[in-house]
Amino acid sequence: MSSSLLGRPSGISEPFGGRTQCPFCSVQCKIRLSEEGVPGEKVTIRAQGDDNAASEGRLCVKGQNAHQHALSRERLLHPLIRRDGQLIRASWEEAMQAVTDLFKSTAQRYGPDAAGVYGGGSLSNESAYLLGKFARLALGTRYIDYNGRFCMSAAASAGSKTFGVDRGLTFRLSDIPQAECIILAGTNLADCQPTLMPYFNRARENGASIIVIDPRATATAAASDLHLPIRPGTDAALAAGMLKVLIEEGLIDEKFINERTRGFEEIRERALGQMPLSQTAEFCGVREDLIRRAAIMYGRAHTGMIMTARGVEQQTDGHLAVREFLNLVLATGKIGREGCGYGAITGQGNGQGGREHGQKADQLPGYRSITDQADRAYVASVWGVEPERIPGAGVSAYEMMELIHRREIRTLFVMGSNPVVSNPNVSMVEEGLRKLDGLIVADMFLSETAEMADIVLPVTSYMENAGTLTNLEGRVLLREAARPSVGESRHDWAILCEVAERLGRGSEFPFQSVEEIFDELRLASRGGRADYYGITYERLRREEGVYWPCGEDRDGGSGLMFEQSFAHADGLAVFSAPPLVETSDKAISAAYPLILTNGRVLAHYLTGVQTHRSPTLEAREVATFLEIHPSAAKRIRARDGEWVQIDSEAGSFYARCRITEKIREDTVFAPMHWGGQQNVNQATLPGLDPICKMPGFKTTPVRVSSYRGTPKKEALPRLEAGSVFPV
Ligand SMILES: Nc1nc2c(c(=O)[nH]1)N[C@H]1C(S)=C(S)[C@@H](COP(=O)(O)OP(=O)(O)OC[C@H]3O[C@@H](n4cnc5c(=O)[nH]c(N)nc54)[C@H](O)[C@@H]3O)O[C@H]1N2
Ligand SMILES: Nc1nc2c(c(=O)[nH]1)N[C@H]1C(S)=C(S)[C@@H](COP(=O)(O)OP(=O)(O)OC[C@H]3O[C@@H](n4cnc5c(=O)[nH]c(N)nc54)[C@H](O)[C@@H]3O)O[C@H]1N2
Ligand code: SF4
Ligand SMILES: [Mo]
């Protein structure tokens, strides 16, 4: 794939070797960029897969075209400040002064907690670490959280409670071909982590059975042996039903249960009193014989894996649903040995590292806890401050939006997210952001959120900014800079250091390079559960990434976890046996008779800020759509390709009908990649999982009706000439 969007930037010099990493999903495929054409004139950039232990040299269509957005003429090249309602070009000096004044006046008038910080899983480990430190020390606020709350929080809290630690995959990717049975629940790998599919194909060639649990017959389901087309939001019941079958059929591993786990007796008791499988089948909308078959396939296999992703997790009972699947893993002893384990398929490029080093409301680096006295004292010692300087725990991402709405948070600093599109119940979020005294957004583009900002700070892209990112396996990878910065854009970390300096905290942010930040991160994580102490840039350059935990006495983890013990103090894993109840927010009614679920398509990424600016990717999917079963479409007399209106209790959005038998009759599906009137989050509800605060994105009762008009054509936010690349 190639593009010729930009003349050769001047000043490419030695450090830029053209090797980089895809900015999108958690596989973090390595890329080699080359330039073709006449130097000094227009050149064509070509991206090819670079060999690496995880991606094995593959790239999907997004990776092949990622450079298109990074080279786009819509990149922000200089800071912007809102004056008389308009975002106007400003110098860095003016912008930095404005940011500093805003933070200072907010703190003086309302106290330090009136500032909020909102991060993202695309940030490198160094920037994510620094953002956490910036919130706590430079601003002194308790309010920081990040977009990973909407992504990994259910799997993370379930993994921590069950195993004592949360690392996305408890096995290596290279172990997948050795599994005899693989359950893929609510994950559409074929579209979302496409370069991993060969691992699963190899497993099948070795005789493995693959079971997919998804309301839609996805591309992943097409590559499976058994598809359970579940009713959205009922995974907890389905997994509990499977466990009942395993217990009844004697397909559990008593030895493993006795030696390595706690809490199984309650599970056995619950299974006895649990609803009969026929009732589970009716509740989940999946045939009883298919549930039984799936359980027996997994139970009889000598090795096996279970993987979940957002289909299971983005629910108001997402934490419990994951734990039900973990019960299956533990009851059959399928973890801690080759060909076995559990995997939460991490989403964003640094969705793993981004959740380890302090962007979360209750977290300090290395998975340390902000409420634990010893953890606070340790991190304070690394930071050279008294523990009292570190504020207490804040609240989750969506709850921050509620505080903004209530005017308790007055100034918000967003780095690496587009919350006005990606939050549930976005009309409330947008209303809240409009009430802020100040909104500061650091981004490469004028995203929908940046368009609302008072100050916009242009940042470097993945091609220009070096740093480490941790892939879905827990493998830490070094991404070197492949191109020089464009325009006046600056690195995220450099922006944080400068604002801290201007707030009088420069001595705590003395960093001149990403490597210096990483070295402090290593110390701060030392002895924590996500221990990076033994990882250095020098090693990362030499090796193909290093798995954590990697402390001072280890020469790099093996990647396979829990071989001898789990991470709880007693070394045991913990079953959970909550009563199974249907939460009321998922119930359909006469007014809202269909269930709306949502997710992704291959060519676009999240809120689309990047992929809509890549012509090749944009051409593949130019507007949103609603997958709907022919019988449901017939009832509302909607034809294929026509616009429909989707209403929920929260609000409405519009989409073109895509009539397909690959979806359940009671379910409709829309992608999440469009903003404005096409934004599925106009309809998603504000309810959160009480344990991990994950929104219930994936299950919203709705009404679909035909819409004879055409919704307003939503143009991407654009800047006037002068703000774009000089051609
Ligand atoms: N192309 C592409 N790839 C991406 C991304 C992207 O935006 N585009 N985003 C990245 C990120 S951040 C993430 S988090 C991951 C997400 O990766 P996935 O979680 O795999 O993606 P989704 O499409 O959100 O959801 C997966 C599947 O869950 C199904 N599903 C919906 N409701 C339910 C349910 O109640 N139960 C079950 N069992 N299944 C259900 C959907 O039909 C969908 O096929 O992808 C990453 N990779
Ligand atoms: N309905 C529904 N809603 C969802 C989901 C769903 O499945 N359904 N999924 C949820 C999930 S899993 C996720 S992860 C969230 C993601 O949602 P968002 O957090 O909104 O993610 P992005 O669209 O990637 O926005 C990232 C922004 O950061 C910018 N950016 C990229 N890299 C960098 C960088 O290095 N530095 C800086 N400063 N900026 C950068 C991009 O240009 C973009 O504007 O959405 C959630 N929302
Ligand atoms: S989007 Fe994911 S699978 Fe595709 S090239 Fe990028 S990192 Fe690899
Ligand atoms: Mo995500």
Side-chain angles (χ1 to χ4, degrees), residues 1-15:
M1 296 296 125
S2 58
S3 68
S4 54
L5 295 171
L6 178 71
R8 171 186 279 272
S10 58
I12 294 190
S13 58
E14 265 306 284

Side-chain angles (χ1 to χ4, degrees), residues 150-151 310 347-348 600 606:
F150 301 150
C151 186
R310 308 308 86 77
Q348 299 175 87
R600 287 140 175 92
L606 298 176

Side-chain angles (χ1 to χ4, degrees), residues 122-123 147 150-151 310 314 348 415-419 422 442-445 447 459-460 492 598-600 605-610 672 680-681 684 697-698:
S122 295
L123 302 179
N147 66 13
F150 301 150
C151 186
R310 308 308 86 77
Q314 289 174 330
Q348 299 175 87
M415 182 169 260
S417 182
N418 187 15
S422 53
D443 206 299
M444 297 172 289
F445 294 105
S447 67
V459 304
T460 50
D492 290 307
N598 49 65
R600 287 140 175 92
Y605 187 70
L606 298 176
T607 66
V609 175
Q610 289 153 284
M672 62 163 295
V680 66
N681 282 324
T684 51
F697 286 120
K698 288 289 198 270

Side-chain angles (χ1 to χ4, degrees), residues 424-444:
N425 189 27
V426 281
S427 55
M428 182 286 282
V429 172
E430 188 175 336
E431 225 178 272
L433 295 182
R434 292 201 189 286
K435 294 187 193 171
L436 282 167
D437 293 349
L439 174 61
I440 306 159
V441 175
D443 206 299
M444 297 172 289

Side-chain angles (χ1 to χ4, degrees), residues 188 192 214 216 233 235 310 315 597 600-601 604 606 698:
N188 183 12
C192 297
D214 196 303
R216 303 183 302 138
D235 292 86
R310 308 308 86 77
Q315 307 281 359
T597 192
R600 287 140 175 92
V601 300
H604 282 296
L606 298 176
K698 288 289 198 270

Side-chain angles (χ1 to χ4, degrees), residues 618 622 677-678 710-716:
E618 181 65 356
V622 296
Q677 294 192 339
Q678 296 183 29
T710 306
K712 195 171 97 229
K713 171 101 178 93
E714 217 80 44
L716 291 174

